[in-house]
Amino acid sequence: MDDSLTANRDYWDELAAHHPTTDFYDVQGFLDGQSTLFDLERGELGGVVGERLLHLQCHFGLDTLSWAREGAEVTGVDFSETAIETARELRDEVGIDELDAQFVESDVYDLDLGERFDTVFTSYGVLAWLPDLDGWADVIDRHLKPGGRFYIAEIHPFGAMFGTVVRTEAGEPTDIDGDPADYVGTLAWPYHSDGALSVPVDDGSYADGDIETAVESVEEWTHGLGEVVTALSDVGLRIEFLHEFEKACYQQCPSMVEGDDGWWRFESGDDAPDVPLTFSLLATKPE
Ligand SMILES: C[S@@+](CC[C@H](N)C(=O)[O-])C[C@H]1O[C@@H](n2cnc3c(N)ncnc32)[C@H](O)[C@@H]1O
């Protein structure tokens, strides 16, 4: 693993230690039986009963274990040792059999489980950590059965250009709790990154803006939709659909409000921007 990915992994180890305590992840709700999956992936991926499902970049396993509760036999993969340890502890705490939910500590690029799955799944906040989508698509293809399917629900690369750093009209960085009327959007990120972007992490994380980490900056990459589709089709997968949505899985901008369904949207009205914030894609591997 090169130095940039080592710094990223250290950062994710720190987040994985803290995220289970946040309201964002609501671990107690999960322990009480709630699914952490959105209606989007549950609806578009459909029934998974009896399927073998591989979850790439599973963080500390809540979504993986939610798929197990839906009847899939799951394998979650993440390069954070802390995340994988927590995922195993949560699995044991909710009484899911080890044979039904396995967790593997691995860099996504090094993954070679020697078995093929019915479904490969990944979601929300994964692509920005990957320098090379061709290598990523190879890993997906290597782990899919003929006839198997790959599904991703992800932050839209256009909406992501606005970043989470929004400044007042005076140009000063402000807290996300400030008055939304004071904010103007800025184009903070490129649509395609030509090499790694060094990103300071002093604003906390998407789950808790107050988290302080020893790691001060991470490396991220932006990937346009064309790059995603081309990487998957280049390994022979057939794109079944690519959907775009004006709702976000977290509060990307201060003027967004959370709906009862857990999605964040710009407040309705004539001024609400028409921006794609999430996309989902289903691809199948030919028989
Ligand atoms: C934003 S989180 C995914 C969150 C997930 N949707 C959730 O809410 O639980 C991104 C995950 O990618 C993992 N990750 C980043 N780079 C990775 C890599 N190269 N190989 C494996 N996992 C990686 C991180 O450890 C982190 O758990």
Side-chain angles (χ1 to χ4, degrees):
M1 193 181 288
D2 68 26
D3 288 350
S4 63
L5 289 183
T6 305
N8 286 1
R9 190 185 52 190
D10 292 346
Y11 174 66
W12 278 108
D13 272 336
E14 292 191 71
L15 294 193
H18 183 75
H19 276 177
T21 67
T22 60
D23 291 344
F24 182 93
Y25 276 103
D26 187 16
V27 168
Q28 190 56 51
F30 168 78
L31 294 174
D32 292 343
Q34 287 167 24
S35 173
T36 58
L37 299 167
F38 278 96
D39 53 354
L40 179 61
E41 56 267 22
R42 288 176 88 188
E44 291 192 329
L45 203 43
V48 293
V49 176
E51 286 200 7
R52 293 197 34 65
L53 182 147
L54 174 63
H55 182 182
L56 299 179
Q57 295 174 254
C58 67
H59 203 26
F60 62 98
L62 293 185
D63 284 0
T64 325
L65 293 168
S66 293
W67 284 122
R69 280 176 168 165
E70 305 252 339
E73 198 179 301
V74 298
T75 300
V77 175
D78 202 282
F79 72 172
S80 159
E81 181 182 6
T82 310
I84 291 298
E85 279 171 5
T86 303
R88 289 181 182 141
E89 285 165 17
L90 286 168
R91 172 195 63 201
D92 297 343
E93 194 170 343
V94 293
I96 295 176
D97 196 290
E98 196 178 326
L99 292 175
D100 293 328
Q102 298 183 22
F103 289 96
V104 177
E105 180 191 331
S106 172
D107 189 293
V108 82
Y109 292 111
D110 296 335
L111 194 67
D112 194 356
L113 293 172
E115 57 180 311
R116 290 177 183 267
F117 293 78
D118 300 296
T119 296
V120 177
F121 168 81
T122 195
S123 71
Y124 308 118
V126 287
L127 296 181
W129 304 100
L130 302 180
D132 161 32
L133 292 196
D134 292 331
W136 169 76
D138 276 337
V139 172
I140 293 163
D141 182 48
R142 191 191 307 154
H143 290 92
L144 266 185
K145 283 181 182 166
R149 58 201 183 145
F150 167 67
Y151 180 87
I152 180 170
E154 178 57 303
I155 298 163
H156 196 290
F158 179 72
M161 290 176 74
F162 296 93
T164 51
V165 180
V166 181
R167 293 168 195 275
T168 65
E169 296 201 39
E172 299 299 321
T174 64
D175 195 272
I176 201 161
D177 297 327
D179 181 352
D182 290 342
Y183 287 84
V184 290
T186 55
L187 279 178
W189 306 103
Y191 187 70
H192 305 107
S193 57
D194 187 15
L197 302 162
S198 179
V199 181
V201 290
D202 49 4
D203 280 345
S205 85
Y206 57 92
D208 182 351
D210 295 329
I211 296 176
E212 287 182 18
T213 54
V215 174
E216 292 176 356
S217 76
V218 292
E219 306 245 299
E220 296 189 38
W221 294 263
T222 59
H223 304 285
L225 276 189
E227 203 183 328
V228 176
V229 168
T230 303
L232 294 168
S233 57
D234 275 354
V235 293
L237 299 188
R238 181 193 141 107
I239 310 299
E240 303 290 343
F241 63 69
L242 169 60
H243 295 151
E244 299 170 286
F245 304 92
E246 293 160 25
K247 56 187 181 183
C249 60
Y250 71 109
Q251 189 177 19
Q252 248 174 288
C253 287
S255 54
M256 285 179 175
V257 287
E258 188 178 16
D260 292 341
D261 55 5
W263 289 102
W264 293 83
R265 297 174 177 86
F266 289 107
E267 282 181 285
S268 57
D270 292 345
D271 294 335
D274 174 10
V275 179
L277 298 168
T278 297
F279 75 92
S280 63
L281 178 151
L282 180 73
T284 50
K285 179 164 176 156
E287 293 281 356

